[in-house]
Amino acid sequence: MAGRRGSQTLPYSKVKTKTSRRRKSQLRDFLSTNIFCIGIIVSLGVFIVVVLRYGIPIPPSTRPQNSSYPSFSQRKSSPLQRSTSLNGTYSPVDISTKGLYDKIQFLDVDGGPWKQGWVVKYKGDEWNDEKLKVFVVPHSHNDPGWKLTVEEYYMRQSRHILDTIVETLSRDTRRKFIWEEMSYLERWWRDASESKKQSLINLVKNGQLEIVGGGWVMNDEANSHYFAIIEQMMEGNMWLADNVGVVPKNAWAIDPFGYSATMAYLLRRMGFENMLIQRTHYEVKKELALHQNLEFLWRQVWDLEGTADIFVHMMPFYSYDVPHTCGPEPAVCCQFDFARTHGFSYEFCPWGEHPVETNPSNVQERALKLLDQYRKKSTLYRTNTLLIPLGDDFRYVTVDEAEAQFRNYQLLFDYINSNPSLNAEAMFGTLEDYFQTLRAEAEKINFSRAGELGSDELEGFPSLSGDFFTYADRQQDYWSGYYVSRPFFKAVDRVLEETLRASEIMFALVMAYCQRHSCAKFPINFSDKLTAARRNLALFQHHDGVTGTAKDHVVEDYGLRMHTSLDDLKIFMSKSVEVLLNIHNNKSTPSLVSQFEAEEVRSKYNVQPVHRVIEVPEGSAQSIVLFNPLEQSREEIVMVIVTDPDICVLSSNWSSVRSQIAPELQHEKDKLFTEKHRVFWRASVPPLGLQTYYIANGYAGCEKPRHSKLKIFAGLEPVSCPASYTCSKLVEDTVEVQNHLHTLTFDTKHGLLQKVTNHKDHSVTIVEEEIGMYSSMGSGAYLFKPTGEAQPIIQAGGRLVISEGPLMQEVYSYPKVSWEDTPISYSTRIYNGENTVQGFFIEKEYHVDLLDSNFNDRELIARFKTQIENKQIFYSDLNGFQMSRRETYDKIPLQGNYYPMPSLAFLQNAEGHRFSIHSRQSLGVASLRNGWLEIMLDRRLTQDDGRGLGQGVLDNRPMNVIFHLLIEQKVSVSVNDLAGPAPLNPSLLSHRVSGHLNYPMHIFVSKKAEEKSGHSPPKSFSPLISSLPCDVHIVGFKVPRPLKFLDRTTKDLRFLLILQKRGWDSSYCNKGGFGCSTLTNGVFDLFSIFNDLSIQEARAASLNTLHDYIENVGSIDERHRKQLQEITSDGEILLYPMELQAYKLEILPKQ
């Protein structure tokens, strides 16, 4: 593979701090006597320049010099010393996106024909030594849902496009094409004849058709969680390998609205070598183009050695359509989009000059005009290898259209290629053709700039770190609206994701225990529905799916698909509970109907889930089974809904459990209480395990739940006290609730949080909660365009209910607003759970309802105003995988300072006083003033924003948004440099809080109550030997190909385990609040995870399962490849901070 090297070490890793101090001493001693002092002065000067430019040199890693991973034989003698917390460390690079933002003035200067650039010129001799090599890459961008559903698009366009590709490419071997979305290719595959399938395979094998990316969809990169990204890439890549026999290595992402460093990392660890991106801020494109930096090696900010560097080509112009891809002048390029001629359905060129058929009389003039654009575009890049995409949305629908493009361009190519004096060669090509030729040229010619660090992955290009949010396409229009559009379905997406992950774990465990026993038939029979769930989650990751930027009926289609899969998965999990609880007693075929059902019920695709109401007859007990999808044991206060408060809670051995009962509340002005009851108790569930409890009625000696004491502030309208509870009237202006750790103070009349007092150090954090709304006249599904700042909407005089008890304290507010109906109500809860994760956070739940037309063209936010001096700097996560440093800039508009927040945002001061907000769905976040953190909750918009959708966003749904707030203080004395480019990492406790919120306990209820006389034996299931260390996360445990599980003719291992060693900030409590162990020296015992299962064989793999780990997934030296394929005989592996590491396993029950 051209251009590949061994792993990169730090550019100045041999310059150590102690050495530099010694040199300073020598300079003083020998200044007057030693002639070599001149050399020392020069060295010192160079060192100072390096320190000023890049910061204090980082000590070298203990990895071997030429390997990105140490050999396994070295592990015990050379324990891992690579940082486990990554506190403020970052990899030096040539370009950071922070540096770009600091430098760019964002003046939106009109550049002439290339409006967002400048008038591009060339001298003419640039290609004398190395001719211009032009690869024109035909493509068709097929959205799996946008204005039409995926099936509608397939029937009307995509199936015809694929037919056209096969037919027209088969006519001429010089023709090339690329295809990206496997969702459409798989659908076509089901309909295609065997001869058509074979023709497509032949085109792929001979290099005419390249599958690029090969994910199920071209996923969004702002809202999608990294688990779902891996899932959609794996689903598409595995289907492609199984059916077409190819594994892609070049990624193509022309339409996501901004780009995440997480995606670059995941692609590299899946074996991709190159990637192409398009939609980045037009001012960023201009700045990079000015310095020929549009091609770079994208490095993770925490990857000190560049082991995951991936080569990136950024397209320079406004769009990926033909007018904006051949060169800087769209009026000229449009003339070479031959599908815009009469007879086709596409719009004519808006610049007034239209394509004309190429013929012998005009070919010279047309070819030279096109070549002029190619040459101008070429000057924006370093090499003389040029990429020219040729396509647009849903192009090449008919053979006539395809022939028009191929025929005309081949005539132009023939003219260019037959005139050597032009120093150019043009041809149809694929991404692979382009990148291979570019790498070969970079091998031959050194394109490196003076002082450039570059990357060992491919020399001659700069290294870059950071992400490309928030995207603006023109005239300071920022695409920050889609971070929040359709938040109801963004929430459903994450519920499906965590439910799928839990179901995959259960599926793998059932298969591991059952193997060839008859109970294996049950999960095998579910395989089709499991595959459908994977694909429905994958489909919604499309950049018009999870973004909320599709037509209403398309959103409905996505929602119905996700709802169907959620129902299927809940049924499967209910049955798996029964199988796993009886696994040691009975391996026969389970009955078709499960004894259990999910406690949470969602009746329709577009409604909130509700809790199943449990009614326990006198003298009986209802089984409640809890499943813990986390890799650590879980002590947690759980809740179910009951009809009768006169019940009690029993453990699996039928002993009494302390509990609390409280009335159920609802978002209804005239009826705050539902007449049902919430029962809380503290449960203990093993990692990846099950535990049974009982809700009993009429059991002698069973401890009844403690009733919550209620305090009510009702304003002018009285609220009746629910039966069986004691109520008192609130008259104070402020009210407090507390647990063992915090006291929360609220403003009674508004029901809003004011401050939090920590009992341990008596510190007070001001957390002034505010609910506000933006008004807008230009916002749409994509764009956020407020007309001013958000205005508070809560007025004095709402209703407030405080519920206090031994396990949970709650403040619920139904506020007063200027409208008849409030768009929001909210609860704040704290839990009395010492040595539980719940005891550390504050739970905020907002019920959001923007259905009324009074809220048209408004965007609802929750804002927290703290006293923390964050200097306009805060941190938000990228895809739930890593943090990114954000800075609020006065030189860009408010909406440009909004960023995606899939799961976490925090701000802190230099001394480490940190305020974090955890979310279980993707939303938008900003810190517009010092100490403020605000999150947009929902938006209701009547207007289209001119980006093609053709409608506003008016299909809002009532929904609940849950945040976990965390206030922390450093335990070390280090001071963070907030101005530095490095993102800060979550604490270990913060990771635990995130896991608690994003991977909730799954609760199942027996369909039939147990009689008082029939005490069954204790029922639990504990598959792991013990909890894993708190910094080790099981990203996934699954059977990748369930239908092939019983086929032992294949040599592939049947289970897949993906692990991550979390990067965490060790300047905060390293016990994760309490009771945490962390991985020692990165050594993890893979073979000692399970209780009753034995790992027979393990093999490291890429994240898409299609490569051995050391093959094509990073810069790894050849001499270590063989060693890295092995795992020590006792099962030890090394886990590195932040890294995702996948292992194929063969698992059998222990004898």
Side-chain angles (χ1 to χ4, degrees), residues 133-161:
K133 299 171 289 295
V134 182
F135 290 95
V136 175
V137 179
H139 70 96
S140 180
H141 180 62
N142 284 239
D143 291 299
W146 182 35
K147 294 181 178 182
L148 302 177
T149 68
V150 61
E151 184 65 16
E152 288 171 340
Y153 272 137
Y154 171 74
M155 295 302 295
R156 296 186 193 184
Q157 292 168 294
S158 297
R159 66 184 179 130
H160 302 300
I161 295 169

Side-chain angles (χ1 to χ4, degrees), residues 867-902:
Q867 82 275 35
I868 295 171
E869 294 282 340
N870 69 314
K871 300 179 181 178
Q872 293 191 302
I873 295 164
F874 69 106
Y875 304 85
S876 65
D877 71 302
L878 293 172
N879 316 100
F881 176 70
Q882 60 183 319
M883 301 304 296
S884 184
R885 180 191 181 279
R886 307 298 186 192
E887 184 168 345
T888 302
Y889 289 92
D890 296 332
K891 60 187 175 182
I892 62 177
L894 182 157
Q895 57 267 30
N897 286 301
Y898 250 82
Y899 291 95
M901 179 188 133

Side-chain angles (χ1 to χ4, degrees), residues 566-749:
L566 274 171
D567 279 352
D568 290 341
L569 294 173
K570 289 291 181 71
I571 292 169
F572 170 76
M573 292 177 74
S574 300
K575 191 65 196 172
S576 297
V577 166
E578 183 181 340
V579 173
L580 292 172
L581 286 177
N582 293 284
I583 202 71
H584 296 295
N585 306 319
N586 183 7
K587 290 187 178 178
S588 61
T589 304
S591 62
L592 295 176
V593 181
S594 174
Q595 302 172 21
F596 297 95
E597 56 192 357
E599 184 268 345
E600 200 171 73
V601 183
R602 193 184 294 263
S603 60
K604 292 171 60 181
Y605 80 95
N606 60 354
V607 300
Q608 280 284 110
V610 296
H611 296 282
R612 196 178 296 277
V613 180
I614 299 171
E615 187 170 359
V616 186
E618 175 75 23
S620 63
Q622 197 88 28
S623 298
I624 307 292
V625 180
L626 306 176
F627 173 63
N628 171 19
L630 288 177
E631 54 281 319
Q632 288 89 33
S633 61
R634 205 153 170 168
E635 294 279 334
E636 184 173 315
I637 295 165
V638 297
M639 182 274 291
V640 296
I641 303 293
V642 295
T643 56
D644 186 354
D646 191 30
I647 49 88
C648 63
V649 180
L650 301 170
S651 68
S652 65
N653 62 7
W654 299 89
S655 60
S656 190
V657 176
R658 188 174 71 141
S659 58
Q660 173 186 341
I661 200 144
E664 185 185 33
L665 294 156
Q666 64 183 358
H667 178 83
E668 202 168 305
K669 182 178 181 180
D670 299 321
K671 189 179 180 182
L672 296 183
F673 302 105
T674 67
E675 300 180 359
K676 294 186 277 290
H677 309 270
R678 296 173 290 169
V679 59
F680 299 85
W681 74 96
R682 180 166 170 167
S684 179
V685 188
L688 303 191
L690 300 165
Q691 187 59 266
T692 304
Y693 290 86
Y694 300 94
I695 305 294
N697 188 353
Y699 276 56
C702 181
E703 181 183 348
K704 298 290 184 183
R706 292 274 297 275
H707 278 58
S708 299
K709 294 180 180 179
L710 305 182
K711 298 176 183 177
I712 299 175
F713 175 84
L716 298 177
E717 302 177 23
V719 175
S720 58
C721 185
S724 77
Y725 294 91
T726 302
C727 299
S728 60
K729 188 177 292 186
L730 271 174
V731 295
E732 300 87 356
D733 289 338
T734 61
V735 64
E736 294 181 344
V737 294
Q738 64 179 21
N739 63 6
H740 63 287
L741 187 60
H742 297 125
T743 294
L744 276 55
T745 305
F746 293 83
D747 168 10
T748 304
K749 293 181 180 179

Side-chain angles (χ1 to χ4, degrees), residues 749-768:
K749 293 181 180 179
H750 297 82
L752 296 168
L753 181 62
Q754 289 184 326
K755 63 181 180 180
V756 179
T757 303
N758 186 294
H759 295 170
K760 289 187 177 181
D761 59 11
H762 307 291
S763 62
V764 176
T765 302
I766 303 299
V767 186
E768 291 184 8

Side-chain angles (χ1 to χ4, degrees), residues 269-286:
R269 291 296 184 245
M270 290 178 183
F272 286 81
E273 297 175 4
N274 311 289
M275 58 187 292
L276 177 146
I277 60 177
Q278 154 60 18
R279 289 191 185 269
T280 59
H281 196 302
Y282 61 92
E283 295 275 18
V284 170
K285 284 178 181 262
K286 180 178 179 179

